[in-house]
Amino acid sequence: MYTDTISIVTPILIFSIFFLASALKVLKEYERGVVFMLGRFWRVKGPGLVIVIPAIQTMVRVDLRTIVMDVPAQDVISRDNVSVKVNAVLYFRVVDPQKAIIQVEDYNMATSQLAQTTLRSVLGQHELDEMLASRDKLNTDIQLILDEQTEAWGIKVSNVELKHVDLNETMVRAIARQAEAERERRAKIIHAEGELQASHHLLEASQILAGQPQALQLRYLQTLTEIAGEKSATIVFPLPIELLTILQKMAEKQPDNQTGKTGETGKQ
């Protein structure tokens, strides 16, 4: 009798242990379990200890942490017909485990494919200069489009960042020439503005010196002092322009005086 009881209880006990072991599930803080009963959605459980009845209920684990996904490099033709390779990084997480499991077969693959097509579509509407200079705006546009599309899957796209915009060697050289020409243009404009400002200051200085002859003499003496202080075998001596004017006037008057004297001698 006792032996028969043991032989009956032992299989039941073993079955109970295996049943409890398979029924008890532990979900971590960042995990949720989507439970199906006889193939139909029942509820979302977790975190902590949950019970899933074997053969009647099944559970799919869903990670709620932010997923960092690398979007492969895509061949993009910009609006100004420039071919570039662009890759990006995508940040998203599951906010509704029920939709993430029921509405889409593989939400990771679906989000990746949608990110690739959206990246090509959005960047193809912009020129190359905008891709290089307005990355923040492009990131925001792509993020908003992806977030709107994945909302039905229970996915929240928090951020999209363009990583690299790769150009071929021909375009790199063309951009380098363009940048060099732009810098030369700025240098010429700055030089012209400097010449204009200098001309204004020189005009003001000449007006001041013309009104004060003593100031011109002092400037002349200062120039002589600067020349004397330089250790050079050649000395350039500045000659006042006024002195040249006086000498020229004297030279013009001298032939007139000689002509007058000759005429007086002939009369005599």
Side-chain angles (χ1 to χ4, degrees), residues 105-122:
E105 180 181 2
D106 187 346
Y107 62 86
N108 285 314
M109 178 62 68
T111 304
S112 175
Q113 294 298 322
L114 182 61
Q116 295 177 36
T117 56
T118 304
L119 185 66
R120 291 194 299 268
S121 176
V122 172

Side-chain angles (χ1 to χ4, degrees), residues 158-218:
S158 59
N159 195 12
V160 177
E161 292 289 341
L162 297 178
K163 294 174 62 177
H164 300 292
V165 179
D166 296 329
L167 304 172
N168 54 37
E169 294 296 331
T170 304
M171 285 304 305
V172 172
R173 290 194 295 269
I175 293 175
R177 290 195 300 269
Q178 180 183 0
E180 184 178 358
E182 178 66 20
R183 291 184 180 276
E184 290 180 358
R185 182 184 68 85
R186 294 180 183 178
K188 291 180 180 179
I189 292 175
I190 294 173
H191 180 71
E193 290 178 352
E195 292 291 337
L196 179 60
Q197 294 176 5
S199 64
H200 287 309
H201 289 296
L202 288 174
L203 177 60
E204 294 177 1
S206 64
Q207 292 174 351
I208 295 173
L209 293 175
Q212 298 292 335
Q214 296 84 359
L216 182 61
Q217 184 66 23
L218 290 175

